[in-house]
Amino acid sequence: MSVGDARDKFETYLAAYDGTNDWSAIGPLFDAVFHPDVVIVTADGELDKAQWEEMARNLVGKGATAAGFEVTGEEADSFYYTVTINVDDEPMHMTAKGTVRDGQLALVEPVDPSVYSTMVDRAK
């Protein structure tokens, strides 16, 4: 699988954040996007797939939306992107690098890790 395939799966996953609070609609997309050994970097440390899934489930439970997903660059095994996640009508603008392994995101490195920490905190 190419970086483009992983990017497309990620875009489909983010599009599912449309205000639904039904994880069963998003869970399979989550599993398709994130590698079993994924590492998500935040200002508070690294999260694994189970920790990131818990955060994502909580966002869905709060009716979060995603908008403005845009790929801003690609290189060998990575792509750079921006996206806005909105929780309780408070948008969080994120820019990150996603590194792909086996057709899934294996490493997510935000330009500003504190934004990812804020997202985790707001999902609680």
Side-chain angles (χ1 to χ4, degrees):
M1 291 217 147
S2 71
V3 169
D5 293 334
R7 180 198 63 225
D8 292 347
K9 284 192 284 188
F10 190 48
E11 184 172 18
T12 300
Y13 164 71
L14 290 172
Y17 280 83
D18 60 2
T20 184
N21 59 7
D22 181 7
W23 180 254
S24 67
I26 296 177
L29 300 172
F30 178 92
D31 285 331
V33 168
F34 294 101
H35 192 278
D37 298 324
V38 67
V39 172
I40 312 289
V41 177
T42 75
D44 301 314
E46 297 177 345
L47 300 179
D48 63 18
K49 186 173 182 177
Q51 292 166 314
W52 196 246
E53 180 178 353
E54 179 183 354
M55 186 280 310
R57 282 178 178 269
N58 290 341
L59 283 180
V60 169
K62 290 180 174 240
T65 60
F69 175 71
E70 181 181 349
V71 173
T72 59
E74 286 190 26
E75 60 187 33
D77 62 350
S78 303
F79 64 94
Y80 299 83
Y81 64 89
T82 60
V83 65
T84 299
I85 304 294
N86 194 355
V87 180
D88 299 327
D89 292 325
E90 294 181 30
M92 294 172 283
H93 307 288
M94 299 174 209
T95 302
K97 175 184 179 183
T99 302
V100 176
R101 185 171 70 228
D102 302 327
Q104 295 175 296
L105 283 173
L107 177 62
V108 177
E109 300 171 282
V111 169
D112 181 357
S114 69
V115 176
Y116 275 55
S117 290
T118 297
M119 182 170 56
V120 171
D121 289 343
R122 291 196 41 213
K124 293 178 181 174

